[in-house]
Amino acid sequence: MQEENYPMKAMMNLNCIWHRVIENSMADLGLTSIQSRMLGYLYFQLQNGKQVFQKELEEEFRIRKSSVTSVIQMLEKKGLVRRAGVTGDARRKELMLTEQGIAVQETVMERLDALEGLVNEALSPKEKQIWLSCIRKIETRLKEAEYD
């Protein structure tokens, strides 16, 4: 099997390596990939002054309610996230980062920036431009074919 005939296989292999590198880089923080991604989502919404509720996480990450609940409970146990009641609707709980959650997310972003720099060193400016162009084309094509 020639790799040039299977670009998505090459991308999946790269994705697996990238996830391993990230998880190794974040191991001392005790975060799984999905926990880190949700923490990042909450952080960026906070920076934009937006409230976040569980339903948004379900839609953003395309995972079931029970899975989001499990991740949020774990982040709460770690002291990174808290739930706050919403005036007028006792059932809705806003998800908020704690000070510790903000500090951990800032550490995550510093490490991701360093990893991004490592990758950027491997490509010339022209190669990066071509790479991003190819990724965008593939992304557009796959979104057009999406069946959900």
Side-chain angles (χ1 to χ4, degrees), residues 124-138:
S124 71
K126 183 67 176 170
E127 288 171 326
K128 281 188 270 191
Q129 183 181 14
I130 293 168
W131 169 251
L132 290 172
S133 175
C134 291
I135 288 173
R136 287 183 190 113
K137 282 182 179 181
I138 293 168

Side-chain angles (χ1 to χ4, degrees), residues 88-142:
D89 189 348
R91 294 172 299 163
R92 285 189 86 190
K93 304 289 184 204
E94 179 182 359
L95 301 171
M96 306 172 78
L97 293 179
T98 63
E99 287 184 29
Q100 182 183 356
I102 291 169
V104 166
Q105 180 56 32
E106 288 173 349
T107 299
V108 167
M109 290 185 322
E110 289 170 8
R111 293 180 186 183
L112 288 175
D113 283 346
L115 290 173
E116 194 75 43
L118 183 69
V119 170
N120 281 328
E121 291 172 3
L123 301 172
S124 71
K126 183 67 176 170
E127 288 171 326
K128 281 188 270 191
Q129 183 181 14
I130 293 168
W131 169 251
L132 290 172
S133 175
C134 291
I135 288 173
R136 287 183 190 113
K137 282 182 179 181
I138 293 168
E139 182 180 28
T140 299
R141 182 61 174 236
L142 291 175

Side-chain angles (χ1 to χ4, degrees), residues 22-43:
I22 289 174
E23 287 192 358
N24 287 340
S25 175
M26 307 298 168
D28 65 312
L29 299 175
L31 295 174
T32 64
S33 177
I34 190 66
Q35 289 170 350
S36 178
R37 290 172 43 218
M38 282 191 189
L39 200 63
Y41 182 83
L42 291 170
Y43 180 86

Side-chain angles (χ1 to χ4, degrees), residues 56-71:
E56 291 170 57
L57 295 177
E58 294 166 23
E59 293 168 2
E60 177 69 22
F61 295 99
R62 296 180 179 203
I63 56 177
R64 293 183 310 270
K65 181 178 182 176
S66 60
S67 298
V68 173
T69 298
S70 176
V71 173

